[in-house]
Amino acid sequence: MKQKLFSCMIALLLILMIIPVKTDAAVVKSGECGWLTNWELTDDETLIISGRDEITDPSYLEWSDHIRKVVISNGVTGIGEGAFKNCTKLTSVTIPASVTSIGDSAFENCAILSSINVPNSVTSFGDSAFKKCIGLSSFVIPHAVTTIGGNAFDGCTGLTSITIPDSVTNVDSYVFKNCTNLTQVKLSNSCNHISFGMFSGCSNLRAITIPTSVQYISQSAFNGCTSLINVEIPNSVISIASSAFSGCENLVSVTLPNAITQISDMTFSRCYSLESIEIPETVTHIYGSAFMACESLTEVTIPNSVRYIGNGIFRWCDNLRSVTLSNNLTEIPPEAFSECTSLPSIILPASITTIGKEAFYQCTNLNGIHLPAGVNDIGVGAFRECTSLTSINIPDYCRIREYAFCDCSSLREIRFEGPKKDVMDIDYYAFSGVTATAYYPDNIDKWNNYSWGSEWYYIKEIDRDMKGNLTWVPYTVGHEHNFGEWDTILSASCTESGKLQRVCACGEIETDTIPATGHNYGAAVTAPTCTEKGIKTFTCVCGDTYTEEVDALGHTAGA
């Protein structure tokens, strides 16, 4: 019996040797891709890379349209520059633990690659390593990685979340630029900076926690993060670069650290929803357009630590109603409050000497402003089209440049102050479109013989150059003022004080404050039941509201 069974087994082996068995996919192309690295492309569109060196010469890319799967054998040490760039049909990659680096543009534009498992042996990603891998929906950065190159995940529009492990100490520019579906990010606790444009264009990023390891927020770091609502910046941060939060259209609030000394240009420009900002007293400089077009900003206080503000700092903040300026400023720079159409008044500190070009251009609600005695230069178009401005004082020997008060259609009183050794320079069209009474000091001879170049003109002839319709009236310097009735130029609200103004015949302006009225609440009650509490809702005419609970009545037993 045993002998018969043995004979059958021998016969079966002989049959199997004769019948052909299907083998692995056939190799259709092959070559070298590094010093000790080879590749084979099979007929099932699998690229197999083997060897004991880095991939440095991806000659197989000539057939990139036929690469759907990549298998890298153990022993290969690195994936070099452009190794799989533009392999637009690639869906699967196997990377062994022998690989320690992924180079520049290694997987750039692998558009349908949806996931990739990177082993813990990898310590660095090169520039644009996974750029435009738009199908990449998830990615785990290994805990051995220390460096992530610039634009590494730029344009990975399918990526929704990312965790940067604490092993990472260096992140280069634009790493997650235009990752438009990225909603959740956890940053490394070992990195001291948020790099240039790191999250720019991440339009669905709603929140970000900045670790206390971060000291520097670089230029355009969160530029265009249109869904970002709140940001708290830790006190470890000592520098926020230009345009860092520019274009964060839904950013409502931001907490600035006490360690910063400056706010860079355009830092919060076009943050349309930003309602308030508290500037730390450590800040000495606020640069150009820092809060430009912050349309929801209603009030701002610039602390006395600030010695400089830049051009267009609050331009187009068309809901700005209250501004407190530092007492250490010397200039209101060009376009500082241009087109702040809701600004009713502003107190300029005594330190101001210059009002720049178009500083208050088209501040159409501006009615209350007094120029300090030290102002000696009013720039081109500084108050142009301030159509609610009714009166203005001009300090001693002040240069009034072209179009300074052009088209201030409500301006009725102008008071030129004195005495001093000479009168001011008044440039062409300074008061064009203005019909007003111009009061001037009667103890300065040159007001009656005004010098223009080498010629002399009487005061009444100045109008031909200023293009205004001014009636010139002298006043006695040092006279006792006779003020008219108080006019309300800013009504008080429940929470904010108002402002009164009255004017002397000489043009001198006196102001006073109207106290805030306080809230005046009415109540509406949702009645309680035996088991349910009621609600009493208090609402003020300004819209402020709060509620109080009314105790449930409890059951009352019948007879």
Side-chain angles (χ1 to χ4, degrees):
M1 181 69 180
K2 289 182 179 180
Q3 185 176 1
K4 185 176 180 180
L5 180 61
F6 180 75
S7 298
C8 290
M9 291 177 64
I10 293 295
L12 180 61
L13 286 171
L14 290 171
I15 293 170
L16 289 173
M17 291 174 67
I18 296 170
I19 298 174
V21 179
K22 186 176 181 181
T23 61
D24 292 337
V27 174
V28 293
K29 299 287 181 181
S30 63
E32 296 180 353
C33 52
W35 184 46
L36 296 173
T37 310
N38 302 302
W39 62 270
E40 294 179 337
L41 182 62
T42 65
D43 58 3
D44 66 353
E45 298 188 326
T46 298
L47 179 68
I48 302 169
I49 297 176
S50 58
R52 291 177 293 134
D53 195 12
E54 182 180 0
I55 301 170
T56 57
D57 180 19
S59 54
Y60 47 79
L61 289 180
E62 184 178 349
W63 296 277
S64 61
D65 287 346
H66 300 282
I67 299 174
R68 294 184 182 275
K69 180 179 179 180
V70 170
V71 177
I72 302 173
S73 301
N74 195 38
V76 175
T77 59
I79 300 174
E81 180 176 351
F84 304 104
K85 184 176 181 180
N86 296 326
C87 288
T88 55
K89 294 184 178 180
L90 182 63
T91 60
S92 171
V93 178
T94 301
I95 303 174
S98 56
V99 171
T100 60
S101 64
I102 297 177
D104 296 351
S105 301
F107 293 94
E108 182 178 346
N109 201 32
C110 292
I112 62 173
L113 183 64
S114 59
S115 65
I116 182 169
N117 294 321
V118 180
N120 288 326
S121 55
V122 173
T123 60
S124 65
F125 297 150
D127 294 346
S128 303
F130 303 96
K131 183 177 181 179
K132 293 184 181 179
C133 290
I134 59 176
L136 201 61
S137 58
S138 63
F139 193 94
V140 177
I141 301 174
H143 287 276
V145 171
T146 60
T147 300
I148 302 175
N151 300 84
F153 296 92
D154 180 357
C156 291
T157 55
L159 202 62
T160 58
S161 65
I162 197 74
T163 295
I164 303 175
D166 291 346
S167 59
V168 175
T169 57
N170 183 45
V171 180
D172 217 331
S173 304
Y174 296 115
V175 169
F176 298 103
K177 178 184 177 184
N178 292 331
C179 291
T180 53
N181 284 300
L182 189 64
T183 60
Q184 296 181 349
V185 174
K186 186 179 184 301
L187 297 173
S188 167
N189 287 309
S190 302
C191 199
N192 72 348
H193 66 283
I194 296 176
S195 62
F196 194 119
M198 185 170 177
F199 296 101
S200 63
C202 293
S203 55
N204 273 300
L205 185 63
R206 292 175 175 82
I208 187 80
T209 299
I210 300 174
T212 55
S213 60
V214 173
Q215 293 180 286
Y216 309 97
I217 299 177
S218 302
Q219 183 174 340
S220 302
F222 297 96
N223 185 7
C225 291
T226 55
S227 296
L228 199 61
I229 298 173
N230 299 296
V231 175
E232 185 169 344
I233 304 173
N235 285 329
S236 58
V237 174
I238 61 176
S239 175
I240 302 174
S242 61
S243 301
F245 294 93
S246 178
C248 293
E249 297 177 0
N250 286 295
L251 185 65
V252 173
S253 65
V254 61
T255 302
L256 294 177
N258 290 323
I260 61 171
T261 59
Q262 67 179 42
I263 299 175
S264 300
D265 55 293
M266 300 186 74
T267 300
F268 297 101
S269 65
R270 296 181 294 111
C271 291
Y272 301 138
S273 301
L274 187 64
E275 296 175 351
S276 63
I277 188 76
E278 185 173 343
I279 300 171
E281 293 185 356
T282 53
V283 173
T284 60
H285 291 67
I286 305 175
Y287 289 97
S289 303
F291 299 97
M292 181 182 74
C294 290
E295 296 176 352
S296 297
L297 195 63
T298 59
E299 60 180 314
V300 68
T301 296
I302 300 177
N304 289 334
S305 59
V306 176
R307 300 192 302 270
Y308 171 86
I309 58 176
N311 296 1
I313 179 173
F314 295 108
R315 186 179 186 186
W316 297 323
C317 293
D318 51 16
N319 279 298
L320 188 63
R321 292 177 175 84
S322 175
V323 177
T324 302
L325 296 173
S326 165
N327 288 328
N328 290 304
L329 295 175
T330 59
E331 178 187 15
I332 304 298
E335 300 179 343
F337 298 96
S338 179
E339 298 179 66
C340 291
T341 54
S342 296
L343 186 66
S345 64
I346 188 169
I347 297 175
L348 302 183
S351 54
I352 296 295
T353 61
T354 302
I355 298 176
K357 178 181 179 182
E358 297 185 352
F360 296 95
Y361 171 65
Q362 281 192 354
C363 289
T364 53
N365 202 40
L366 185 65
N367 188 21
I369 189 166
H370 182 85
L371 304 185
V375 172
N376 55 39
D377 196 318
I378 301 174
V380 175
F383 294 93
R384 186 171 186 173
E385 295 182 37
C386 290
T387 53
S388 294
L389 191 64
T390 58
S391 61
I392 193 70
N393 68 299
I394 308 295
D396 288 344
Y397 198 58
C398 180
R399 174 76 179 271
I400 307 174
R401 297 184 183 271
E402 295 94 331
Y403 304 102
F405 295 93
C406 177
D407 293 329
C408 292
S409 55
S410 297
L411 188 57
R412 295 293 178 263
E413 296 181 351
I414 306 165
R415 183 176 186 264
F416 293 92
E417 296 174 346
K420 206 167 185 176
K421 63 181 181 180
D422 207 347
V423 296
M424 61 288 296
D425 290 326
I426 305 175
D427 288 352
Y428 289 104
Y429 299 95
F431 292 95
S432 176
V434 173
T435 299
T437 301
Y439 298 93
Y440 66 96
D442 64 356
N443 63 341
I444 300 179
D445 290 339
K446 287 191 177 180
W447 275 104
N448 294 313
N449 290 291
Y450 184 78
S451 174
W452 193 273
S454 60
E455 300 184 43
W456 293 84
Y457 297 105
Y458 290 109
I459 193 72
K460 64 183 179 181
E461 294 180 345
I462 300 176
D463 289 354
R464 75 179 192 180
D465 298 312
M466 294 186 294
K467 302 299 181 185
N469 183 17
L470 305 186
T471 301
W472 294 89
V473 177
Y475 69 90
T476 302
V477 177
H479 80 111
E480 184 176 346
H481 294 301
N482 181 20
F483 290 104
E485 297 295 323
W486 288 104
D487 292 323
T488 301
I489 61 171
L490 177 64
S491 298
S493 68
C494 299
T495 57
E496 295 184 359
S497 59
K499 189 174 181 181
L500 295 170
Q501 174 180 289
R502 60 182 182 175
V503 182
C504 177
C506 72
E508 179 69 16
I509 301 170
E510 187 176 50
T511 60
D512 199 2
T513 299
I514 307 172
T517 60
H519 293 296
N520 182 17
Y521 294 102
V525 179
T526 301
T529 66
C530 298
T531 57
E532 300 290 335
K533 292 181 178 180
I535 298 176
K536 183 180 285 188
T537 302
F538 298 88
T539 304
C540 179
V541 292
C542 72
D544 188 69
T545 185
Y546 70 95
T547 59
E548 291 180 356
E549 290 185 342
V550 180
D551 291 338
L553 301 175
H555 295 293
T556 302

